[in-house]
């Protein structure tokens, strides 16, 4: 059973960004499912490493797209990305310091859940009309 299911409300109608967001859903669900089965300790290092690596890739993609399109709030969006990436790196550092700790798994779930719910639905949705109006799909 997965915690987050991709729904139309998450779609920006920009195919590559939607695909990348779906990958983030998959990472979240991988950790959630492992926690439900009592196996979070076995997967958290892999999932956190994937989150840190994939967020860097995803954020760079979005930021380049926004900059090239001339989105006025691109710097603010980039700053928000920096904050999210910093949180992911802090979780990865906690993992290194504490080992595969359940509290780190829970913090990771909360981080990813908040990101999916807030960042995509609020922050990313705010730039989607701008990109769509410029024919970016």
């Amino acid at each position: 059973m997965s915690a987050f299911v991709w729904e139309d409300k998450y779609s920006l109608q920009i195919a590559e960004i939607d695909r990348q967001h779906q990958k983030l859903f998959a990472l979240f669900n991988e950790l959630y499912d492992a926690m439900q089965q009592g196996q979070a300790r076995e997967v958290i290092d892999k999932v956190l490493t994937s989150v840190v690596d994939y967020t860097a890739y995803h954020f760079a993609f979005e930021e380049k797209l926004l900059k090239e399109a001339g989105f006025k709030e691109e710097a603010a969006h980039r700053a928000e990305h920096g904050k999210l990436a910093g949180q992911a790196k802090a979780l990865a550092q906690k993992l290194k310091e504490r080992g595969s700790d359940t509290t780190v798994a829970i913090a990771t779930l909360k981080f990813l859940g908040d990101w999916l719910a807030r960042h995509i639905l609020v922050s990313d949705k705010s730039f989607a009309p701008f990109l769509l109006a410029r024919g970016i799909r």
Side-chain angles (χ1 to χ4, degrees), residues 12-108:
L12 301 185
Q13 302 301 313
I14 301 167
E16 181 58 20
I17 293 176
D18 285 348
R19 187 190 67 72
Q20 291 175 14
H21 286 163
Q22 289 169 357
K23 169 74 173 175
L24 292 167
F25 271 65
L27 290 171
F28 179 91
N29 286 324
E30 184 177 349
L31 180 58
Y32 178 83
D33 292 345
M35 286 184 71
Q36 293 298 308
Q37 298 167 14
Q39 299 173 345
R41 293 176 190 261
E42 290 81 8
V43 301
I44 192 159
D45 185 46
K46 176 180 159 269
V47 172
L48 266 178
T49 299
S50 295
V51 167
V52 169
D53 292 347
Y54 201 76
T55 55
Y57 166 76
H58 170 67
F59 289 164
F61 178 85
E62 263 187 15
E63 292 163 11
K64 182 177 185 242
L65 197 59
L66 293 174
K67 187 171 186 154
E68 288 175 354
F71 185 61
K72 290 181 184 178
E73 289 86 29
E74 181 268 331
H77 199 78
R78 186 174 1 98
E80 187 173 342
H81 282 170
K83 182 179 175 185
L84 289 168
Q87 290 171 320
K89 288 177 184 174
L91 288 168
Q93 184 59 38
K94 278 185 188 177
L95 177 66
K96 284 181 183 178
E97 292 168 1
R98 293 172 146 175
S100 297
D101 185 323
T102 302
T103 56
V104 176
I106 292 168
T108 303

Side-chain angles (χ1 to χ4, degrees), residues 3-25 28-29 58 62 112-128 132:
F4 271 82
V5 177
W6 182 262
E7 300 174 43
D8 285 342
K9 70 180 182 179
Y10 296 108
S11 177
L12 301 185
Q13 302 301 313
I14 301 167
E16 181 58 20
I17 293 176
D18 285 348
R19 187 190 67 72
Q20 291 175 14
H21 286 163
Q22 289 169 357
K23 169 74 173 175
L24 292 167
F25 271 65
F28 179 91
N29 286 324
H58 170 67
E62 263 187 15
L112 290 172
D114 287 349
W115 177 9
L116 291 172
R118 188 171 16 90
H119 185 74
I120 293 172
L121 290 174
V122 177
S123 298
D124 287 357
K125 285 279 187 170
S126 73
F127 70 67
L132 291 168

